[in-house]
Amino acid sequence: MADWVFSIVDRLGATGVGLLILLENIIPPIPSEVILPLAGFRARAGAFNVVAAWGAATVGSLVGALILYGLGAWFGYDRLHALSGRRWFILSSQKDLERGFALFDRHGGKVVLLARCVPLLRSVVSIPAGIVGMPVWRFALLTAIGSGVWNAVFVGLGWYLGENFEVVEQWLGPVSYVVLGLLVIGLIVLIVRRARSREAPDRARHRA
């Protein structure tokens, strides 16, 4: 992983950092926890300015998030609400979607801000923000703040640790897997709950 990230960063400099982070937002398996410390390390070695690396990473985060936000806005709440009423759509019922919409309407700002610090979730959260119609300026501002802090921490760690930047990856690897595992478990719970909620009316009809 580190070798090809190094090759892109060395070839394109701070711009390469921004492009990699943009891709990381759209393709979550590309970990920013590897890209950002590498950028800090290369900046310390004099390859480019560390502030430029941080700025490019933050712009990349924002652009990637806005692409996914636009996808959610294009799909829209009404279309998803109608889709969730279909029997084959197992991810959510219309009632669950309505509750989720109300929750996001009340706490969406906190969710968007804090999600920037959670692997995979920082990509996924942009889509519901677009679906529920969070004002794009608010979404962009919260994303820029959250991403800016996250990027500063990890670029700074790479700068501080120097050649020992791989320590960050060693610690964050297991943590990322735990978070991913929890998200998978949550998805399974949603599917099982959805399936049971559909079976209940069928059983009631058979008894009648």
Side-chain angles (χ1 to χ4, degrees):
M1 174 70 72
D3 291 339
W4 72 268
V5 171
F6 253 131
S7 67
I8 293 175
V9 171
D10 286 341
R11 188 177 301 114
L12 301 177
T15 301
V17 175
L19 289 174
L20 287 170
I21 294 299
L22 188 158
L23 289 174
E24 185 262 346
N25 274 263
I26 300 174
I27 311 172
I30 302 176
S32 66
E33 295 86 354
V34 175
I35 300 166
L36 296 171
L38 279 171
F41 167 61
R42 294 302 291 147
R44 181 171 179 172
F48 41 77
N49 183 277
V50 68
V51 176
W54 168 80
T58 302
V59 170
S61 298
L62 180 58
V63 172
L66 285 172
I67 290 172
L68 294 176
Y69 173 94
L71 178 63
W74 170 80
F75 196 80
Y77 176 80
D78 292 339
R79 188 179 300 179
L80 182 60
H81 189 270
L83 193 63
S84 64
R86 303 292 181 87
R87 293 188 62 84
W88 54 266
F89 192 81
I90 61 175
L91 295 181
S92 173
S93 67
Q94 289 181 327
K95 289 184 178 179
D96 287 337
L97 184 64
E98 289 162 3
R99 283 194 290 265
F101 178 86
L103 178 66
F104 205 94
D105 190 49
R106 291 195 302 271
H107 305 291
K110 297 175 185 176
V111 173
V112 170
L113 184 64
L114 297 177
R116 306 311 302 174
C117 303
V118 182
L120 187 62
L121 188 59
R122 59 174 163 260
S123 297
V124 175
V125 74
S126 302
I127 297 176
I131 289 174
V132 303
M134 175 181 283
V136 66
W137 67 266
R138 185 166 182 250
F139 173 77
L141 178 62
L142 292 169
T143 298
I145 293 172
S147 298
V149 172
W150 176 263
N151 295 341
V153 168
F154 281 90
V155 170
L157 280 173
W159 173 279
Y160 175 75
L161 291 172
E163 294 182 356
N164 297 315
F165 69 89
E166 291 182 355
V167 172
V168 179
E169 184 179 2
Q170 292 173 4
W171 280 97
L172 280 173
V175 174
S176 298
Y177 284 122
V178 169
V179 172
L180 181 59
L182 291 174
L183 290 173
V184 171
I185 291 171
L187 180 61
I188 293 172
V189 169
L190 284 174
I191 293 173
V192 171
R193 179 182 173 185
R194 174 67 163 161
R196 286 179 176 175
S197 68
R198 290 196 178 282
E199 289 173 359
D202 291 339
R203 286 197 297 266
R205 282 195 296 270
H206 287 314
R207 289 173 184 171

